[in-house]
Amino acid sequence: MVGMEGRRAGIPLNCIDKALFALYSQDEPMVNYCILTIDGAVDPVRLKSALMTVLLRHCTLRSTIHAGLFRQVREVRDNCGGEILTVWDVVPPEDLADANCSQVGAWYKRRLSEWMNIPLDPGKELPWRALLLRRTPRQFSLVFACHHSVADGLRHLRFIGEAIRDYNGATENSSPSTCSLTDGRRDDLVAMAQACRLKVRHFYLRMIASLAHRFLLAPLSPNARICRTTSRPSSEVYFCQGSLNPHELRQIKSRSKSVGATVNDILLAACFRAVEQWNNVHRKSSGKISIMAPVSIGNPMSSPVITNQVSFISVSTTRKERSDPEELLRKVRQRTAHMLKNGIAFSIVYAVSFCTVLSPLVARSVAKFLMVTQIYLDSILLTNLGLIWPAGTNPGERDKMGTAKITSVIGLASVVSPMGISLCMGTYDDHLYVGLTYKTRQFSKAEARTFLNLYLHELRSYQRTPEGLLIPEVRYRDTRDTVPV
């Protein structure tokens, strides 16, 4: 039914949506970003038209969350109103000729930080927005922000890919999507978990064992925290970025295949060693380090509705296991393979469903407990988006916006205060781009950059064999690793 304000109510949230919205209620922004660097002119009018066209297909992206005492639903806005695209100049055109590169760079960072930290409230406004930031007449950054309570990283990239195709004139079905109005009794993620029981032996026994370990046994050996100046809660975030070139990435892929591991295993192993070395430098002992790794539990193209189809696995290691890089990689490979094979990510779906099935007040109380005690939170979040706009899309659409060229794509994951830092990887144009998001009250720019450089150094160390020799280059078909969002 359509109301006086052009809204239509009735789209339920799944359990992960509710959990992420509950974390947002604890002054944690929970916003994911994607930054495209573009070489060439971008037409703002054409871009806004493309965004509006794609927006009509996805009712969740043009909805707000209404939280009652016992129920949360999305209220779809048929008339979105407001600006969906912000266009800023880093430097006023009349002052550009007098500005040097360092000045433009400093102004760019200031403008981007200002925009990223404008609050995004999915209860009052659309849960996403875009910024076209013009550095020079032919150099742009296109930045997308999407609240995590509405979509995970892969679904966010899907939306961006659709917008680029529409900008390029691709023909798509532009009619508004059909939003089923249900009573919210059936949670799609729980249904996916229940379907998984047919593929995993003793499925429910494994779910119970996983939950018992995480919530009863794991707290007996608390996770190490990344050393920082202060652990005070913080809502303001910023980022730094780095990359591996195609040669380095090929070497790491070759190394992973030579030992029967995946690229994700190497990303995790390098992260363990980076956190430990960081804490050692700051004279803080690290016992158990635990990494939260998001896992896609749905097909990126399985549903016309953009939402969260993500859970996570939690991989932990001891100090002894991290002392030998080869032993560490073997342990990480074994543990991630076991968790993925046995559907351990679904245990978190059941846990979150239990916490969110009742009143939203219960979910907010649980979120507050997690933030205050930090008992069940991992040391750091590490996300791998995999291949950005993977094989199957038209090559001409992957790196073009009209006559302009997309030169890089950086994903930035949301970060909660107890962790302080999150890492997000994605492969674009044969480069592995790494985005580090950090809480600005807990880490300085120099500290964040130092941590990122430490992580990249650890990644590059996995180009070599245990004997210190570079892996001979091999040719094989590129495939997307199965872990993560």
Side-chain angles (χ1 to χ4, degrees):
M1 180 177 178
V2 179
M4 294 291 292
E5 299 179 8
R7 299 180 182 179
R8 183 173 55 202
I11 303 177
L13 285 71
N14 67 38
C15 57
I16 296 294
D17 295 339
K18 294 175 183 177
L20 293 167
F21 188 69
L23 282 176
Y24 163 74
S25 71
Q26 302 306 308
D27 201 26
E28 299 291 342
M30 303 310 298
V31 178
N32 295 328
Y33 300 92
C34 186
I35 302 176
L36 282 62
T37 303
I38 301 170
D39 184 11
V42 178
D43 183 354
V45 176
R46 182 175 168 186
L47 176 59
K48 183 175 180 179
S49 175
L51 292 172
M52 281 297 299
T53 299
V54 179
L55 185 63
L56 289 174
R57 299 187 201 123
H58 300 293
C59 52
T60 54
L61 290 176
R62 48 188 170 90
S63 65
T64 56
I65 296 176
H66 173 71
L69 186 60
F70 296 103
R71 187 168 177 247
Q72 291 173 321
V73 294
R74 299 190 192 279
E75 295 182 335
V76 181
R77 295 174 178 261
D78 291 323
N79 180 15
C80 298
E83 290 296 321
I84 63 170
L85 175 67
T86 301
V87 181
W88 283 351
D89 286 300
V90 172
V91 187
E94 60 272 15
D95 298 335
L96 187 59
D98 299 326
N100 58 42
C101 291
S102 62
Q103 287 176 319
V104 173
W107 288 331
Y108 166 77
K109 292 177 181 178
R110 191 178 304 123
R111 294 290 272 171
L112 187 53
S113 176
E114 176 186 346
W115 185 82
M116 287 177 62
N117 287 289
I118 297 174
L120 181 59
D121 184 353
K124 298 179 180 178
E125 57 189 315
L126 297 186
W128 71 276
R129 58 176 177 237
L131 168 70
L132 184 63
L133 191 55
R134 184 162 35 206
R135 300 193 196 196
T136 71
R138 295 196 60 80
Q139 289 184 325
F140 290 79
S141 288
L142 178 56
V143 190
F144 292 87
C146 183
H147 202 279
H148 205 341
S149 65
V150 75
D152 58 57
L154 291 182
R155 266 43 69 165
H156 186 199
L157 284 177
R158 171 184 157 189
F159 165 73
I160 296 171
E162 285 187 37
I164 291 172
R165 288 194 294 273
D166 266 272
Y167 183 92
N168 291 334
T171 57
E172 295 270 4
N173 176 16
S174 60
S175 60
S177 61
T178 301
C179 304
S180 59
L181 308 181
T182 70
D183 59 7
R185 293 175 184 171
R186 184 176 183 274
D187 189 303
D188 289 341
L189 296 188
V190 175
M192 289 181 189
Q194 292 171 343
C196 188
R197 76 186 189 278
L198 302 176
K199 305 174 184 177
V200 178
R201 291 185 61 190
H202 309 301
F203 177 74
Y204 287 117
L205 184 60
R206 294 182 188 277
M207 296 298 101
I208 293 171
S210 175
L211 292 173
H213 179 271
R214 180 168 185 86
F215 295 106
L216 298 179
L217 300 180
L220 299 178
S221 56
N223 296 319
R225 298 287 157 212
I226 298 176
C227 187
R228 69 202 79 176
T229 305
T230 176
S231 296
R232 290 181 302 172
S234 170
S235 59
E236 185 173 309
V237 300
Y238 199 53
F239 75 99
C240 55
Q241 65 188 61
S243 66
L244 298 184
N245 62 43
H247 172 73
E248 292 170 326
L249 181 56
R250 284 195 299 270
Q251 288 289 323
I252 288 175
K253 287 182 176 180
S254 296
R255 175 65 182 281
S256 68
K257 292 181 75 68
S258 70
V259 297
T262 68
V263 172
N264 285 296
D265 296 329
I266 289 181
L267 296 178
L268 286 167
C271 189
F272 279 117
R273 288 181 58 81
V275 172
E276 180 163 59
Q277 290 195 38
W278 174 269
N279 283 352
N280 288 343
V281 168
H282 292 82
R283 299 180 180 179
K284 179 179 179 180
S285 177
S286 299
K288 185 180 74 173
I289 295 175
S290 184
I291 297 178
M292 177 180 176
V295 178
S296 178
I297 55 178
N299 187 324
M301 304 303 291
S302 63
S303 169
V305 178
I306 286 184
T307 183
N308 279 289
Q309 294 183 23
V310 63
S311 184
F312 70 88
I313 57 175
S314 182
V315 186
S316 61
T317 58
T318 64
R319 184 185 296 108
K320 181 179 179 180
E321 292 168 337
R322 297 188 297 270
S323 61
D324 180 0
E326 302 310 310
E327 177 64 17
L328 174 62
L329 184 55
R330 283 193 292 271
K331 290 292 184 182
V332 169
R333 178 191 63 195
Q334 292 170 2
R335 287 171 187 168
T336 55
H338 170 80
M339 291 177 178
L340 294 173
K341 178 182 178 181
N342 294 295
I344 299 302
F346 286 111
S347 66
I348 299 302
V349 172
Y350 283 113
V352 171
S353 176
F354 176 77
C355 294
T356 60
V357 72
L358 299 176
S359 168
L361 294 175
V362 175
R364 289 198 291 269
S365 298
V366 172
K368 184 175 182 179
F369 173 79
L370 293 175
M371 293 295 106
V372 172
T373 65
Q374 305 183 16
I375 294 175
Y376 300 109
L377 297 183
D378 297 86
S379 305
I380 189 172
L381 170 76
L382 185 144
T383 299
N384 181 14
L385 294 169
L387 184 63
I388 305 295
W389 298 313
T393 56
N394 188 326
E397 296 173 351
R398 274 187 257 169
D399 61 356
K400 293 288 187 181
M401 286 193 65
T403 58
K405 178 178 175 61
I406 303 171
T407 57
S408 69
V409 180
I410 306 292
L412 300 174
S414 54
V415 54
V416 295
S417 296
M419 295 183 187
I421 284 177
S422 68
L423 291 165
C424 183
M425 274 67 85
T427 304
Y428 178 78
D429 194 24
D430 295 326
H431 289 73
L432 178 69
Y433 290 99
V434 183
L436 181 150
T437 315
Y438 64 95
K439 295 288 188 176
T440 56
R441 292 183 184 176
Q442 300 180 6
F443 296 90
S444 67
K445 292 180 181 179
E447 288 174 327
R449 171 55 64 180
T450 300
F451 186 93
L452 177 59
N453 287 338
L454 181 61
Y455 178 66
L456 292 172
H457 173 75
E458 289 296 328
L459 268 183
R460 291 186 175 103
S461 72
Y462 279 99
Q463 296 179 85
R464 299 179 178 273
T465 66
E467 294 76 24
L469 303 175
L470 283 173
I471 291 285
E473 185 174 351
V474 296
R475 295 181 179 275
Y476 54 90
R477 181 185 298 175
D478 285 331
T479 56
R480 184 169 177 269
D481 287 312
T482 40
V483 175
V485 176

